[in-house]
Amino acid sequence: MSPLPSSINIAIEQGINALLRLDPQTRVRLDQLEGRVIAVNVVRPDIECVFSIVGRCVNVIGKVDTPADTTLTGTLSAFRSLSSGNDALYKGDVS
């Protein structure tokens, strides 16, 4: 998997955290994920993005040396379908 360039990581992180500032309830729910590392592996194209949750914010980080607490893997189209309520998780398109 190829990690994203740091400039893209910064843009993603800023976008996510700007949206979180508009939704205080979701920021409170992030407390459940405090200190966790979540890896998202997209296949076709091969992209890896790693997130850490700290202080009710999402940090986009490069490669990590230790295994992530959770890893999601799937195609770009499968991840995109999740936003419309598609059952890609249940069909195994995203695991």
Side-chain angles (χ1 to χ4, degrees):
M1 292 282 152
S2 301
L4 292 172
S6 60
S7 58
I8 293 177
N9 285 348
I10 291 168
I12 291 170
E13 181 176 305
Q14 289 175 344
I16 289 171
N17 289 311
L19 291 172
L20 286 172
R21 284 190 291 278
L22 299 174
D23 187 357
Q25 292 175 339
T26 297
R27 288 187 74 191
V28 169
R29 290 197 313 257
L30 283 177
D31 287 344
Q32 299 171 29
L33 299 173
E34 179 70 24
R36 305 287 178 152
V37 175
I38 301 163
V40 177
N41 295 325
V42 179
V43 294
R44 292 186 311 264
D46 289 338
I47 299 171
E48 178 181 47
C49 196
V50 182
F51 303 91
S52 68
I53 313 301
V54 178
R56 294 187 177 171
C57 292
V58 175
N59 299 312
V60 182
I61 54 180
K63 283 264 200 207
V64 291
D65 295 331
T66 59
D69 295 299
T70 299
T71 301
L72 300 172
T73 303
T75 64
L76 184 58
S77 62
F79 278 112
R80 289 183 63 202
S81 73
L82 294 173
S83 67
S84 63
N86 185 309
D87 57 355
L89 282 171
Y90 304 105
K91 294 189 316 185
D93 295 337
V94 173
S95 59

